[in-house]
Amino acid sequence: MNKQDKHLEQNKHETPMTILSRSLLTGFIGGLIWSTFATILYYFNFSKIVPKSFILSSWLQAEWIDTWLGTLMTIFAIGIISIAVAFVYYLLFRKVNSLWMGVTFGGVLWGVIFIIMNPIFSSVPSVQKLNLDTIVSTLCVYVLYGTFIGYSISYDYQDLQRAKDDTTQTEMTQK
């Protein structure tokens, strides 16, 4: 038995995560990481917009929103919302194996949130009223987020396809 056969035999008994479930997990983790990063940018005054402006402040009027609990709830909520974003990327672009697709996805996502959907976020000023530091910082976070989501999902998809091709090729060689 060669190395690849031993590896396949060992992995046969494990329950593998499907590419979809891995993509959704990537979305959740990406949401947690990049919303935390955006919050840090706000606290260090790189941005005048904090993520809770979108998630909580636009919809609720409560004192706890401006505490650490509001920040944690926002980060978790963005992680949950990010699952849907990852699902959209999975459906539309998983087969595109390019870093630039994720960059573009993040930029388009920024445009959708900050320009198209801006009227529904009452506590977020329009793009014309934002300073350049805020625009650049938030755009960079969205581009990095899109790159993280996009490249992770595409890489997982391509890796799974290579593994399937290798398994098929091994089975055909053994016959």
Side-chain angles (χ1 to χ4, degrees), residues 23 25-34 82 89 99 102-103 141-154:
S23 298
L25 179 62
T26 297
F28 179 72
I29 292 170
L32 294 179
I33 290 170
W34 295 109
S82 187
Y89 191 93
L99 181 70
V103 170
V141 169
Y142 274 78
V143 165
L144 289 169
Y145 168 74
T147 303
F148 178 85
I149 297 289
Y151 202 68
S152 297
I153 291 172
S154 295

Side-chain angles (χ1 to χ4, degrees), residues 48-49 110 114 118 124-135 138:
K48 299 293 180 198
I49 297 175
W110 182 89
F114 277 84
N118 183 269
V124 178
S126 66
V127 174
Q128 294 84 5
K129 294 179 182 175
L130 297 176
N131 64 19
L132 188 59
D133 289 342
T134 299
I135 293 171
T138 55

Side-chain angles (χ1 to χ4, degrees), residues 32-112:
L32 294 179
I33 290 170
W34 295 109
S35 62
T36 300
F37 189 71
T39 302
I40 291 168
L41 287 177
Y42 171 78
Y43 285 119
F44 283 109
N45 295 318
F46 285 99
S47 173
K48 299 293 180 198
I49 297 175
V50 66
K52 63 184 161 190
S53 299
F54 294 99
I55 302 299
L56 297 178
S57 298
S58 292
W59 313 105
L60 303 171
Q61 301 296 325
E63 291 181 21
W64 63 270
I65 292 172
D66 293 325
T67 66
W68 63 270
L69 180 61
T71 301
L72 288 178
M73 293 293 289
T74 298
I75 290 170
F76 184 74
I78 291 174
I80 299 297
I81 292 167
S82 187
I83 292 171
V85 173
F87 185 67
V88 168
Y89 191 93
Y90 173 83
L91 289 176
L92 300 176
F93 306 118
R94 72 178 176 265
K95 295 180 181 180
V96 180
N97 191 17
S98 171
L99 181 70
W100 295 108
M101 191 66 207
V103 170
T104 304
F105 184 74
V108 168
L109 195 59
W110 182 89
V112 167

